[in-house]
Amino acid sequence: MEKKLTIAIVGATGAVGQQMLQCLEERQFDVNLKLLASSRSAGKVFTFNNQKVTVKELTENSFDDVDYALGATENDLAKKWIPWANAKGVVVVDNSSAFRLDENVPLVIPEINPEDIKKHNGIIANPNCATIIAMVALHELHKEYHIKRMIVSTYQAVSGAGVKGIQDLENQLKDPDAPCTAFPYPIAYNLIPQIGDFDENGISKEEWKMQNEARKMWHHPDLLVNCTCVRVPILRSHSESIFIECEKEVDVNQARELISKGQGTILKDDPQNKVYPMPLDTTDQDLVYVGRIRKDLTDPTGRSLALFCCGDQIRKGAATNAVQILEKLIQ
Ligand SMILES: NC(=O)c1ccc[n+]([C@@H]2O[C@H](COP(=O)([O-])OP(=O)(O)OC[C@H]3O[C@@H](n4cnc5c(N)ncnc54)[C@H](OP(=O)(O)O)[C@@H]3O)[C@@H](O)[C@H]2O)c1
């Protein structure tokens, strides 16, 4: 009988870690599961495939009996524990941004660049959540028209900042004076045009990710992206307003058809009948909804298009994407 694989989720008690557990179960992984977090969470119990699994504290020895690890921790911690895992021969699919732009680490969306997975040296990085949603929405259009430049405005859910972000919104909706733990200002009844620290050009770290990560995954070093990231009082699912300028003239009907046949996308584009993507509809499922597709009439060359898309950033923007990579690794 074949030995069951052992998969560790590191950061198992967080927003992404909990979703990873659910995704592994939904996708019928018949594996031993190891749940790792800080000493604060050691002893908590979760259910996986009808078995109780107790959370253990992450230590250097956590990986002795592990085959693959899914990472759902912040950057500093990822930089510390991933070498421990690699030293034990464990291949890691990591959600932090610590290794995303490392040239020895593939950055992968399975619908877009699955062939990059096999170039790994023990780490495969999962892209930024808003970048995954935009690229899944745009991939078929890029293949057909070749995107040169993008202008993106994001409307990012509070759960993008983890469990603390969810708690801030829920607490402040009950009591507007409840403290801010994840954001610099109250998020209830507000929005905050800052995600990450700003550089000397006034561009935030989160905003740079869209260009840098898309360039790497599309193998398109000349891609230009101007991005504005905004935190909005939505529990789950990021939304994005996207403008693209392409090398070829675009056709709106063909664009709709390409998106309706694309992998991982659903076309929701009948504005006259009030059909368009909305975050409530994409919450807790894996597809990216795309709609409001229209030509940019300010571009006389006819090579520019505008659209709106939404996707659940804890699922496709994080946990599902990581589990899809794991599926390909195991195959
Ligand atoms: N949330 C999203 O939508 C999203 C999307 C894409 C990527 N990401 C990335 O995914 C990662 C996880 O994000 P998240 O939103 O799930 O964060 P989160 O909800 O804050 O969860 C953080 C996890 O890290 C664990 N942790 C903290 N300190 C630890 C320590 N010293 N030792 C071991 N474990 C420790 C926490 O365990 P305790 O419960 O014990 O504190 C918890 O399980 C981040 O790098 C984030 O940028 C998040």
Side-chain angles (χ1 to χ4, degrees), residues 10-18 20 36-42 44 55-58 71-75 77-78 80-81 94-98 100 126-130 132 157-164 166 209 238 312-315 317-319:
V10 186
T13 51
V16 175
Q18 284 290 292
M20 285 169 162
L36 298 166
S38 77
S39 56
R40 295 178 292 274
S41 304
K44 282 188 181 167
V55 175
K56 302 232 166 62
E57 182 183 355
L58 171 69
T73 60
E74 292 302 331
N75 290 359
L77 192 56
K80 196 165 135 190
W81 70 261
D94 182 41
N95 266 272
S96 81
S97 57
R100 286 183 193 150
N126 214 53
N128 164 261
C129 45
I132 294 182
V158 291
S159 52
V163 168
K164 281 186 180 164
I166 300 170
K209 290 174 187 169
H238 289 354
D312 187 322
Q313 93 291 344
I314 305 185
R315 275 185 169 268

Side-chain angles (χ1 to χ4, degrees), residues 115-222:
E115 66 287 351
D116 287 343
I117 293 176
K118 55 181 181 293
K119 298 178 198 154
H120 80 81
N121 297 298
I123 309 173
I124 296 153
N126 214 53
N128 164 261
C129 45
T131 306
I132 294 182
I133 289 159
M135 288 188 69
V136 170
L138 296 174
H139 188 53
E140 293 301 318
L141 302 181
H142 178 55
K143 283 199 291 187
E144 182 65 27
Y145 305 124
H146 198 81
I147 298 171
K148 288 196 312 191
R149 192 165 75 96
M150 297 162 48
I151 300 175
V152 183
S153 297
T154 71
Y155 308 76
Q156 297 186 216
V158 291
S159 52
V163 168
K164 281 186 180 164
I166 300 170
Q167 287 167 350
D168 275 10
L169 178 58
E170 287 179 342
N171 292 340
Q172 289 165 10
L173 285 174
K174 286 183 217 139
D175 170 11
D177 294 325
C180 307
T181 64
F183 310 115
Y185 296 99
I187 187 64
Y189 312 108
N190 197 13
L191 56 78
I192 303 172
Q194 173 177 10
I195 302 182
D197 297 334
F198 293 110
D199 69 8
E200 64 283 4
N201 296 306
I203 300 171
S204 77
K205 277 191 181 152
E206 183 84 355
E207 289 162 353
W208 274 120
K209 290 174 187 169
M210 187 78 73
Q211 174 170 287
N212 294 338
E213 297 184 17
R215 283 181 172 185
K216 182 167 173 174
M217 285 181 280
W218 272 336
H219 305 286
H220 182 2
D222 302 326

